[in-house]
Amino acid sequence: MSLKNINIAICDDEVSSIYSIKKYLISYQIQFDIDCEIHTFTDSSKFLSSFETNKYNIVFLDIDMPNMDGYTATQRIRDLDDSRAEIPIIA
């Protein structure tokens, strides 16, 4: 069974952390035949801007980031008035 069209967002100010998570997800994607697209962000404001036009199925979000921390970004997502507010967020 193949999962289709899974959109994943990774937001972390440390590129090495993004690389580690992305590497693991790609390995998982291959092992379990999952069709996904991985979007990466180093700035939570840019991530939230992309949230307007992209529907993510899961988000990996760093807590300690400059400008806007992960707590604030999560709260902005949870304050939305649609199904996007229910997205799983792993911090």
Side-chain angles (χ1 to χ4, degrees):
M1 180 177 133
S2 176
L3 296 174
K4 300 292 181 191
N5 302 320
I6 306 296
N7 285 318
I8 300 170
I10 304 169
C11 184
D12 197 311
D13 60 315
E14 293 185 24
V15 175
S16 62
S17 294
I18 290 174
Y19 175 78
S20 294
I21 295 169
K22 188 173 181 178
K23 183 178 171 184
Y24 175 77
L25 290 172
I26 290 170
S27 173
Y28 193 84
Q29 176 184 7
I30 293 166
Q31 182 179 358
F32 294 101
D33 191 27
I34 298 172
D35 181 20
C36 68
E37 187 171 338
I38 301 169
H39 305 259
T40 61
F41 305 90
T42 55
D43 179 277
S44 53
S45 295
K46 290 180 182 176
F47 159 66
L48 288 175
S49 292
S50 81
F51 213 80
E52 298 292 323
T53 57
N54 291 296
K55 182 177 180 183
Y56 299 112
N57 301 100
I58 191 166
V59 173
F60 292 85
L61 183 60
D62 185 20
I63 295 299
D64 186 25
M65 293 185 287
N67 302 321
M68 181 190 312
D69 64 32
Y71 294 114
T72 304
T74 297
Q75 190 58 54
R76 290 195 182 174
I77 292 169
R78 298 295 183 234
D79 288 344
L80 295 172
D81 291 332
D82 57 34
S83 63
R84 295 174 301 165
E86 302 297 321
I87 187 171
I89 298 173
I90 299 170

